[in-house]
Amino acid sequence: MNSHRTMPAHGATATDAPVPSRRRRAVGWKTALALVAASVLLLPVVLLPLTTGVPALAWLPLLLVALAAVAWLVVRRRQPYAQPAGLGVLVLIAAAAILASQVFTTTAPITGADGRPLPGSIASVEKVELNGSEQWIMVRGKSASNPVLLNLGMGGPGGGGFFNSMEFRPLEEHFTVVSWDEPGTGKSYGAVPFSDLDKERYVADAVALTNRLRERFGQQKVFIYGVSWSSIIGIWLVQEHPELYHAFVSSGQMVNTTQNDRMGYELALQHLEEQGDTGRAEELRRNGPPPYRGDNVVAPYVDFLNVLNEIMGTPRFTVIVPLIPFFVPEYGYIDKINHTRGLIETFNVVYPQLEGLDFKEEAAELQVPVYFFVGRHDVNAMSSLVEEYYNALTAPDKKLVWLEGGHGLGSADNQNVFMDEMVNHIRPLSGAG
């Protein structure tokens, strides 16, 4: 009985058979890697409508071209140069999305019940020149005839006013709210060299902005609001230029930076020891108590400030600082990155300059009404120090309003308390009806 054996074709060997399989696997891996790269490059396009003010007429064409490029990668994956060509197109589209996010800098209009912009309202993002540098403001209000409220920005130093502008949306019916990205942060990241940032620069630029607003809106005085670091700027302003301001309003008021930080450090260390977190406790001990000096002071401060946020039930700074700017639609992608960069660089330059600041000694008397909104459980800006300062402060009028919770305005209930005080007790100081 004959057995038939299949013989290799002429010139072929038994080891040649797996080659097509290896090639298929290689093509599969290349396609997978290309799709991973494509997904990353798609993100700037997909996130445009969610995190920026770019209109649909601009981002929809980018999205369609990007999806077509991804389809090309899949369908033509076996074609030579198909994947490099598709990824090249996606790189160009991602760059166009980043550029669009910066070019289409806008803020949502103030609308009526019909969804249309209200006549006489103002909602704009503007570049202004202050003492020879280009800086950015956001202006929002239902009527340009309302009193002006200048939001000096978030904490830090380096937080910027665009960062917390959403907190003032309920006030836009009663005030023209101007949020300022001070030099060194957000959209004003490169306004001046970081080495120029000091008390004199902040005060001079804030005064220049104040005078611009007074002239633009035809008002003798404006209101100012500060929180945490910017509450320091606010005290400086009303102390040196009381004639420009109806009143100073703050939350998370800073009083004595060194005493405040040492209290926070001790509290953080005690908390970690009680929780049995020996690793982080030892890290704080290695850092030692503040104040810190050197080129990178932000790191040891953040080590204990993160713990204080945990005590207050809020996210760590290392989480919220890089994340939240991506949900500020008035920021382009570069602005969002610059916000985090600016906070780090500005803090390193400016915060050491605040060592020894003590408003109980330096600003015991102010010539404008002062209103402190204080979280009962604030351990970032110690509420006990704010209460001490309030009791020692002499001013034409003053009020300490206790809020539930920690640092800043926080919850919706606190926002309602803030709204009521601002509209019914503070706004009338301007003489507005």
Side-chain angles (χ1 to χ4, degrees), residues 383-400:
S383 57
S384 60
L385 296 183
V386 183
E387 187 173 21
E388 289 176 13
Y389 178 43
Y390 173 81
N391 290 334
L393 177 65
T394 300
D397 186 28
K398 64 178 184 177
K399 187 172 184 179
L400 188 152

Side-chain angles (χ1 to χ4, degrees), residues 48-233:
L48 279 178
L50 302 175
T51 64
T52 74
V54 176
L57 288 176
W59 64 260
L60 268 177
L62 293 176
L63 179 61
L64 293 175
V65 175
L67 292 176
V70 174
W72 170 273
L73 285 173
V74 175
V75 174
R76 301 285 186 176
R77 63 187 180 278
R78 298 184 185 278
Q79 298 290 329
Y81 308 115
Q83 290 176 355
L87 290 175
V89 170
L90 285 172
V91 168
L92 293 176
I93 294 299
I98 293 170
L99 178 62
S101 74
Q102 292 294 123
V103 171
F104 292 99
T105 297
T106 186
T107 187
I110 295 173
T111 58
D114 58 0
R116 297 180 179 180
L118 280 176
S121 65
I122 181 171
S124 63
V125 175
E126 307 172 14
K127 181 165 56 178
V128 295
E129 183 176 324
L130 303 176
N131 296 316
S133 69
E134 293 183 343
Q135 301 177 32
W136 288 83
I137 59 173
M138 186 193 315
V139 186
R140 296 183 55 86
K142 289 190 174 181
S143 172
S145 63
N146 275 331
V148 173
L149 171 62
L150 174 56
N151 167 28
L152 296 172
M154 197 64 180
F162 287 28
F163 192 84
N164 67 331
S165 62
M166 288 297 295
E167 293 182 339
F168 300 95
R169 295 297 165 91
L171 291 177
E172 291 170 2
E173 183 175 349
H174 310 278
F175 294 87
T176 298
V177 181
V178 180
S179 295
W180 177 38
D181 260 8
E182 71 268 20
T185 189
K187 294 191 75 66
S188 302
Y189 171 78
V192 302
F194 285 94
S195 58
D196 289 353
L197 295 177
D198 55 20
K199 173 184 177 180
E200 289 70 26
R201 180 83 215 195
Y202 286 114
V203 170
D205 287 356
V207 168
L209 177 56
T210 298
N211 286 329
R212 178 184 286 266
L213 298 174
R214 291 168 62 227
E215 180 179 0
R216 175 176 175 177
F217 293 102
Q219 299 181 17
Q220 281 191 319
K221 299 181 179 182
V222 306
F223 293 96
I224 50 174
Y225 171 88
V227 54
S228 198
W229 142 250
S230 67
S231 73
I232 294 175
I233 302 178

